[in-house]
Structures are given as structure tokens and as C-alpha cells.
């Protein structure tokens, strides 16, 4: 028997001894905080063990009760529906119930709930008086928000227990219960405190998952660090970690153990701050921002440093997924920084320094130095991350002057690299770069924006080239990509006129239909206001083209376009309001 099982077993023994003590009323309280696992323990351990000792059990919750009559109805329906054998009459309760109902004019075979609803007070009292020989387990007394009703329920149970061999166990968060303290002292023979260990809670929450044993140490470490023993929260953690595990398995390029170790920590922290500290999604994101780690005026330790420590692995969609926000499904793009399989630099950057002995540490620094200083062809983002990490180690004197100083050679190294920018194009995760490291971070931002600007220009040039050949080449693409985003303001009126001149009549008509549909939404000005100037200029050019064009199909096509452009200008300028 495991230690946790031993502890739970001893709680059952304690409850049994109190229920069987005839010198006190047979009413016992099982007390525990919210999320402590009282209901779980009751259903999965206590009730089975009580039944092993020959007790018949009835279990129900007080949630939603509004009167003592509601309580009696719930007690009766729970008891009679269980259809136990009455030891005195040797009849099932359903038979006793039928007999009682016949005496009071009831119809045999009616649904218990319906009968209770219309039963007289005398009938209910007669039915209650026939309850015998069982343990009535009543959950959620603390959810009864009427003090008088709480006291009435306890008084009713005390009365019912007299001479009936009925025993009552109340599952309560006593701190939240409104029942009278003096009455509780009189009614209860004892209060048993459910106080699970952290390992008990972890075992209950995680043990059903096949990956649990493999990551048990990581789970116990972070759960103990945050003293997170709330079973409801831990069960949410385990479900989210299981979904994360399945998504990570779908990408064979990832270092599964490294990613899981990190994301277990991320999940526990997010759940802790959401459900125990009552943070919103926005709070969690804001507290994880790196600038919050900077010393305050008193140079005190930042209170949420553990969130900053996992900054690299968080994204807004991931936080939303973890804490029950709008993101209910998870994909690989929702994660922050993920370690790659077979990448020694990733393994080195994201493993604690104490995981390395001196020899392995020096070997890893050799690999890092080779990549930063010697490799000519490198992934753009990876090189900046590696350079930052090398600079971090060097600045903190993890190695001495025998290794080259990156501060002295950084611009020179950067100029020599042949970068592969593909890891930037498809990268939605957050890089491990400290904004305070101005040497590296600012260079990264500058070069990243320069690349993105050039890429946008290249894309624009390619689109214009295809657009000039025919609007049909780009019609669907522009609709999907720029339905609510400015597009035409990226070109001059002269460029658009060049397109019109080179197009077939069918392209002009298709373009005219596109412009007609583009500005129909009532709030479209909010999204496309930046296009107003260029559309106005184009409209004037099209009017001139229309006037000079001889009658024919092209003139007709230009006429439609002229009208649609005029309508667009009215919408964008607000003249139609």
C-alpha cells in the first residue's frame, strides 16, 4: 500500500470510529479546503471502504437548496432510489414506499420525484421516519448560503439519527460554512481534517496518464515550488499537459523531453496564477514581459520572476488555451520557443547550468563558439540567440580571456555571415534574446526589420508583375489576403494605369466587379481609409481614359469602373454619409 493510500485509509478508520462511538451523536464532519479533493476521496476511497465494512451509503449534494423541504426531498429521493433492503420489514424501500403511498391515497408505480413534489408534509415525515441503517453522506454544506437553513439541516439530521441507526457524514469546507459554531459543537461527534500531501494530490491528478512516470520529477518539483495542492487545479493542469504532449508528439523535429520539461512548468505557473492568484490572461502575459525583470527603485526581487523565466515559451494563444480563454484548440504554432531535437546549442541554452560538469560545459561552449565565430552559413534567428547566449556567459565570467570577446568582433562576424532567413519567416515563437543586451538585441531588431521590409518589397514587386499581366492572376489572392487590409495604396496611380492599359477588357470588367464589392461593408472605411487617396487619383485617371476612348467594349468596361471607383471614393471619404 502506497503512503498516500495508507493516509486515506487511516482517515476512513477515523471516520468509522467516530460514527460508531455511541457516546456522541453519529454525525461527523470531513473538513477540507476548496479543491482539496474531499469529494474525490469520498467517492473513490471512503464509500468503497464503508461498504467493505458492511455499511449502506447514500450520497448527495446540498448545492441549490433553498428550503428545509428541499433538503427532505433530496434525502428521500436519494435514499429510496437506492432501493436498499429494510432490515425490519424485509421489504425493499420501493415496496415500503408503495405501501405508504397507498395509505395516503397515492398511485402505485409513480415516479418518486413526482410523488415527492406533491406529497404532503405528513407523508414525507412518515417516509423519513422509516429510513434506517445507513450512512448518509451529505456534500457541500458550505454552499448553503442561508445560515438559518444550514442550522435547520443539521438539526434535522440530529433528530433523524436518534434511534434509527442513521449516521451522517458532512463533507464541508468549514471555513466557508455558515452553520452556527455552537450548534456544530453540539451536533458533530468529531471533525476529521482532510489534509493530503502534495504527492498524494499529484498522484491523483496525473497517475492515469502514460507519460506521468517519465515526467514525475519535473511535475513534483514545480508543484512543490508553488505549493499547488488544489486537486481541481491539478486535474486541469494534467488535462492540459496531456493535450500539449499529443501536439508535441506530432512534430518529430522537436526534443520531446526538453519541450515537455519546460511546458509542464509553464502550465503549472499559468494555472497557479490564474486560479489561485486570480490573474487574467492579460495579467499573466504582462507579468511575463522581460522588462518587468529589471530592478525596481529599491532593487528588490521581482515578485513574478518565475513567469519571466518562462517568457520565451509563452504566447498569448498558449496562455488562452491553458486558462480557459477563447483558444480552445492547440496547434504547434501556438507554442513559444521549442527546443529542436539533435541541436546541441538548444540543449545547452535551455538546460540548467548545474546539469553540466566542467568537462561537458567546456565542450558545449566549444560548440557554441564554433557556431557563432566560424560557421559561415547559419540560420538568422539561431545565430542571434547563440550570440546572445555566448555574450551572456562571457559577461558573467563563466569563461575567461582564452576565448574571443564577442563584443569586439560582433559587427565583423555579422558582416561575414550568410544568413538563412527561413527560420524568421515561419517563426511565431519568442526568441531567447534579452532586450537589455543592446549589442545584440538592437542589431537583431534592425536586421529583422530590414529583411522584412525588403521581403515585403519583393512580394509587392512580384504581385505587381503578375497583376500587370492580368487582374485574373491576382483576384482571389488579393481578396483573401487584403479583404480588410489596405492594398492599393502600395502602388502609384501611374502603376495602376499601366495595368489598365495592358489588360484585356475581361480583366477591366473583373477588376471593376472587385472594386464594387470591396467597399460595400458599412464599416469598411475603418479598415481601408488609407486607400482613399490612391483610389481618388485612379478615379480621375479612369475618367480621362474613358473620355478619350472610342465607343466600344473597352469604353463600356471603363465606364463601369469609373462609376465603381466614384462610389468607392464616396465611401472612403465619408461623402456618402
Amino acid at each position: 500500500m502506497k503512503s498516500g493510500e495508507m493516509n486515506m485509509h487511516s482517515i476512513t478508520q477515523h471516520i468509522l470510529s467516530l460514527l460508531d462511538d455511541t457516546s456522541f451523536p453519529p454525525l461527523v464532519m470531513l473538513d477540507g479546503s476548496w479543491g482539496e479533493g474531499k469529494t474525490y476521496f469520498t467517492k473513490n476511497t471512503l464509500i468503497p471502504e464503508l461498504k467493505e465494512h458492511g455499511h449502506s451509503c447514500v450520497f448527495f449534494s446540498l448545492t441549490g437548496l433553498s428550503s428545509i423541504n428541499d433538503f427532505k426531498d433530496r434525502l428521500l429521493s436519494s435514499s429510496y432510489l437506492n432501493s436498499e433492503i429494510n432490515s425490519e420489514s424485509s421489504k425493499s424501500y420501493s415496496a415500503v414506499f408503495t405501501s405508504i403511498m397507498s395509505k395516503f391515497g397515492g398511485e402505485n408505480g409513480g415516479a418518486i420525484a413526482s410523488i415527492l413534489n406533491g406529497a404532503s408534509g405528513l407523508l414525507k415525515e412518515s417516509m423519513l421516519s422509516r429510513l434506517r441503517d445507513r450512512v448518509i453522506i451529505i456534500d457541500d454544506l458550505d454552499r448553503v448560503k442561508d445560515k438559518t437553513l444550514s442550522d435547520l439541516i443539521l438539526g434535522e439530521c440530529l433528530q433523524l439519527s436518534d434511534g434509527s441507526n442513521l449516521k451522517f457524514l458532512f463533507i464541508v469546507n468549514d471555513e466557508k460554512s455558515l452553520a452556527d459554531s455552537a450548534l456544530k459543537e453540539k451536533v458533530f461527534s468529531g471533525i476529521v481534517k482532510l489534509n493530503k500531501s502534495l504527492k498524494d494530490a499529484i498522484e491523483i491528478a496525473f497517475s492515469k496518464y502514460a507519460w506521468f512516470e517519465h515526467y514525475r520529477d519535473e511535475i513534483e518539483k514545480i508543484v512543490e515550488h508553488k505549493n499547488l495542492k488544489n486537486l481541481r487545479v491539478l486535474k486541469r493542469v494534467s488535462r492540459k499537459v496531456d493535450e500539449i504532449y499529443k501536439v508535441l508528439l506530432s512534430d518529430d523535429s522537436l526534443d520531446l523531453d526538453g519541450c515537455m520539461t519546460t511546458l509542464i512548468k509553464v502550465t503549472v505557473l499559468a494555472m497557479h496564477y490564474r486560479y489561485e492568484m486570480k490573474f487574467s490572461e492579460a495579467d499573466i502575459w504582462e507579468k511575463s514581459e522581460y522588462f518587468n525583470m529589471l530592478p525596481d527603485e529599491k532593487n528588490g526581487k521581482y515578485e513574478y520572476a518565475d513567469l519571466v523565466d518562462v517568457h520565451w515559451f509563452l504566447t498569448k494563444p498558449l496562455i488562452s488555451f491553458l486558462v480557459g480563454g477563447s483558444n480552445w484548440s492547440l496547434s504547434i504554432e501556438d507554442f513559444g520557443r521549442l527546443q529542436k531535437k539533435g541541436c546541441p546549442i538548444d540543449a545547452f541554452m535551455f538546460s540548467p547550468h548545474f546539469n553540466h560538469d566542467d568537462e561537458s560545459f567546456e565542450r558545449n561552449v566549444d560548440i557554441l563558439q564554433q557556431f557563432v565565430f566560424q560557421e559561415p552559413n547559419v540560420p538568422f534567428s539561431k545565430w542571434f540567440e547563440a550570440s546572445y547566449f555566448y555574450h551572456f556567459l562571457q559577461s558573467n565570467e563563466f569563461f575567461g580571456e582564452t576565448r574571443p570577446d564577442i563584443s569586439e568582433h560582433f559587427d565583423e562576424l555579422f558582416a561575414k555571415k550568410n544568413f538563412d532567413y527561413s527560420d524568421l519567416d515561419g517563426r511565431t515563437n519568442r526568441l531567447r534574446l534579452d532586450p537589455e543586451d543592446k549589442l545584440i538585441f538592437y542589431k537583431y531588431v534592425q536586421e529583422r526589420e530590414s529583411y522584412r521590409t525588403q521581403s515585403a518589397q519583393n512580394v509587392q514587386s512580384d504581385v505587381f508583375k503578375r497583376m500587370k499581366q492580368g487582374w485574373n492572376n491576382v483576384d482571389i489572392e488579393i481578396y483573401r489576403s487584403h479583404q480588410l487590409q489596405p492594398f492599393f495604396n502600395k502602388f502609384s496611380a501611374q502603376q495602376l494605369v499601366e495595368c489598365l492599359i495592358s489588360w484585356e477588357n475581361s480583366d477591366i470588367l473583373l477588376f471593376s466587379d472587385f472594386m464594387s464589392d470591396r467597399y460595400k461593408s458599412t464599416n469598411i472605411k475603418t479598415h481601408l481609409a488609407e486607400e482613399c487617396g490612391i483610389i481618388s487619383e485612379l478615379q480621375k485617371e479612369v475618367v480621362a481614359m474613358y473620355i478619350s476612348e472610342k465607343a466600344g467594349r473597352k469604353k463600356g468596361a471603363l465606364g463601369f469602373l469609373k462609376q465603381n471607383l466614384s462610389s468607392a471614393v464616396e465611401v472612403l471619404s465619408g461623402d456618402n454619409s
Side-chain angles (χ1 to χ4, degrees):
M1 183 181 293
K2 296 178 182 177
S3 60
E5 293 174 346
M6 183 83 71
N7 184 44
M8 295 299 104
H9 181 73
S10 66
I11 291 175
T12 303
Q13 292 297 323
H14 190 188
I15 290 171
L16 279 169
S17 67
L18 289 171
L19 290 174
D20 292 338
D21 186 350
T22 57
S23 61
F24 295 95
L27 279 75
V28 176
M29 178 192 294
L30 178 62
D31 178 31
S33 302
W34 180 83
E36 189 79 27
K38 302 183 297 297
T39 303
Y40 179 91
F41 164 73
T42 300
K43 291 181 176 180
N44 292 276
T45 300
L46 178 60
I47 291 177
E49 291 191 354
L50 288 175
K51 288 181 177 180
E52 285 180 11
H53 284 79
H55 292 284
S56 297
C57 298
V58 173
F59 177 89
F60 63 93
S61 169
L62 298 180
T63 301
L65 286 185
S66 60
S67 68
I68 190 64
N69 201 46
D70 287 346
F71 169 73
K72 292 177 180 179
D73 287 350
R74 198 164 296 184
L75 172 58
L76 285 170
S77 61
S78 299
S79 301
Y80 280 94
L81 283 171
N82 279 340
S83 190
E84 298 291 343
I85 301 300
N86 182 296
S87 59
E88 293 181 4
S89 64
S90 296
K91 297 178 181 179
S92 72
Y93 268 101
S94 59
V96 173
F97 181 74
T98 300
S99 174
I100 294 172
M101 290 306 300
S102 66
K103 293 177 181 179
F104 288 89
E107 296 181 1
N108 296 343
I112 290 178
S114 299
I115 295 171
L116 286 174
N117 188 49
S120 68
L122 181 59
L123 172 59
K124 290 181 183 179
E125 293 303 324
S126 179
M127 293 168 68
L128 286 168
S129 69
R130 290 177 177 268
L131 288 177
R132 293 284 188 278
D133 304 319
R134 60 193 56 219
V135 178
I136 309 293
I137 303 171
I138 302 174
D139 200 2
D140 298 319
L141 179 65
D142 48 284
R143 294 184 186 272
V144 177
K145 299 306 180 185
D146 183 331
K147 180 181 182 302
T148 301
L149 179 57
S150 296
D151 294 345
L152 286 173
I153 290 170
L154 292 180
E156 182 72 23
C157 293
L158 180 63
Q159 180 179 334
L160 287 171
S161 68
D162 187 21
S164 66
N165 203 29
L166 282 181
K167 301 175 180 182
F168 291 86
L169 175 65
F170 283 82
I171 315 300
V172 184
N173 178 357
D174 195 30
E175 290 184 355
K176 303 297 183 181
S177 173
L178 298 180
D180 183 75
S181 299
L183 180 61
K184 286 189 288 187
E185 289 182 11
K186 174 183 176 182
V187 165
F188 290 112
S189 62
I191 297 176
V192 180
K193 183 74 174 177
L194 183 65
N195 190 17
K196 297 187 310 301
S197 69
L198 283 168
K199 290 191 176 181
D200 290 337
I202 291 169
E203 192 78 33
I204 292 169
F206 289 87
S207 58
K208 71 176 182 178
Y209 297 106
W211 43 261
F212 170 55
E213 286 300 332
H214 188 71
Y215 300 108
R216 178 191 283 269
D217 289 345
E218 287 82 359
I219 293 168
E220 290 183 351
K221 186 182 300 182
I222 183 60
V223 168
E224 289 176 5
H225 172 64
K226 303 310 295 184
N227 193 32
L228 179 59
K229 59 188 295 187
N230 186 308
L231 191 57
R232 286 188 178 93
V233 177
L234 284 175
K235 285 185 174 182
R236 288 173 176 172
V237 169
S238 67
R239 288 195 296 270
K240 294 298 184 180
V241 171
D242 186 56
E243 294 183 60
I244 287 171
Y245 180 74
K246 292 173 183 176
V247 175
L248 294 177
L249 278 177
S250 68
D251 190 335
D252 193 51
S253 71
L254 298 176
D255 175 355
L256 180 61
D257 283 350
C259 291
M260 278 292 288
T261 298
T262 299
L263 289 168
I264 286 169
K265 183 177 182 181
V266 167
T267 304
V268 170
L269 289 175
M271 295 288 200
H272 163 73
Y273 282 107
R274 176 66 184 93
Y275 295 108
E276 296 200 314
M277 304 297 290
K278 308 303 181 185
F279 280 20
S280 66
E281 291 179 47
D283 291 334
I284 295 172
W285 174 261
E286 180 184 344
K287 301 301 185 189
S288 75
E289 290 285 22
Y290 201 88
F291 65 80
N292 284 322
M293 195 63 175
L294 303 180
D296 61 17
E297 293 180 355
K298 298 179 181 179
N299 294 318
K301 180 176 174 57
Y302 180 53
E303 187 175 359
Y304 309 111
D306 50 6
L307 278 177
V308 177
D309 288 342
V310 299
H311 167 89
W312 326 109
F313 314 103
L314 283 171
T315 63
K316 290 182 179 179
L318 179 59
I319 294 172
S320 179
F321 170 78
L322 291 176
V323 302
S326 59
N327 186 29
W328 290 97
S329 62
L330 190 67
S331 66
I332 205 72
E333 290 77 19
D334 292 330
F335 292 105
R337 184 66 164 87
L338 296 175
Q339 294 174 234
K340 295 293 184 179
K341 183 190 298 181
C343 179
I345 293 174
D346 266 12
F348 188 32
M349 282 196 302
F350 292 106
S351 64
H353 301 317
F354 50 76
N355 281 359
H356 303 279
D357 56 32
D358 290 345
E359 183 179 348
S360 69
F361 179 80
E362 290 298 326
R363 185 167 58 250
N364 278 294
V365 175
D366 286 341
I367 295 171
L368 185 67
Q369 180 179 324
Q370 170 71 20
F371 180 77
V372 171
F373 285 85
Q374 303 300 327
E375 293 289 339
N377 303 310
V378 293
F380 176 75
S381 298
K382 178 72 72 182
W383 185 78
F384 272 93
E385 281 187 314
S387 298
Y388 159 71
F389 191 53
Y390 183 94
H391 191 221
F392 167 80
L393 294 175
Q394 190 166 55
S395 299
N396 288 279
E397 300 188 59
F398 276 89
F399 48 77
E401 296 178 356
T402 56
R403 296 187 182 276
D405 187 339
I406 193 172
S407 301
E408 297 178 0
H409 302 283
F410 185 71
D411 288 337
E412 176 186 345
L413 289 170
F414 173 82
K416 290 181 179 180
K417 297 300 178 182
N418 180 25
F419 289 117
D420 174 4
Y421 291 91
S422 61
D423 70 339
L424 181 62
D425 287 341
R427 203 175 178 97
T428 57
N429 48 23
R430 305 170 81 177
L431 298 183
R432 183 163 187 170
L433 292 174
D434 181 354
E436 288 302 295
D437 189 337
K438 296 179 174 56
L439 171 72
I440 294 173
F441 182 76
Y442 287 176
K443 186 69 173 178
Y444 165 76
V445 171
Q446 180 184 24
E447 182 62 19
R448 180 192 63 189
E449 296 311 308
S450 175
Y451 169 75
R452 286 177 173 172
T453 299
Q454 185 60 51
S455 296
Q457 291 173 350
N458 292 340
V459 169
Q460 182 176 324
S461 176
D462 175 68
V463 169
F464 178 72
K465 181 178 179 180
R466 290 184 288 115
M467 187 168 70
K468 190 173 180 180
Q469 293 171 351
W471 179 255
N472 187 53
N473 294 332
V474 297
D475 182 75
I476 300 299
E477 175 186 341
I478 302 306
Y479 173 78
R480 289 175 176 171
S481 302
H482 294 83
Q483 189 174 8
L484 296 176
Q485 296 177 2
F487 172 73
F488 292 107
N489 58 315
K490 299 176 182 178
F491 305 94
S492 67
Q494 186 57 44
Q495 285 178 304
L496 296 176
V497 169
E498 288 177 22
C499 292
L500 289 171
I501 292 172
S502 64
W503 283 350
E504 299 290 337
N505 293 330
S506 58
D507 286 308
I508 297 175
L509 287 168
L510 184 61
F511 179 63
S512 178
D513 284 342
F514 179 90
M515 299 304 283
S516 174
D517 291 337
R518 184 168 177 78
Y519 305 99
K520 283 185 175 178
S521 300
T522 55
N523 65 340
I524 201 66
K525 180 181 177 182
T526 304
H527 303 285
L528 303 182
E530 294 176 33
E531 291 186 350
C532 185
I534 186 64
I535 297 302
S536 179
E537 290 183 45
L538 180 61
Q539 192 259 348
K540 294 173 183 176
E541 294 288 346
V542 170
V543 168
M545 291 175 66
Y546 174 78
I547 293 172
S548 63
E549 185 68 32
K550 293 180 180 180
R553 190 161 181 241
K554 186 168 185 178
K555 187 179 183 75
L558 289 171
F560 279 122
L561 179 57
K562 174 173 65 73
Q563 294 174 20
N564 289 331
L565 290 173
S566 178
S567 297
V569 171
E570 288 181 1
V571 170
L572 294 175
S573 64
D575 292 344
N576 63 333
S577 58

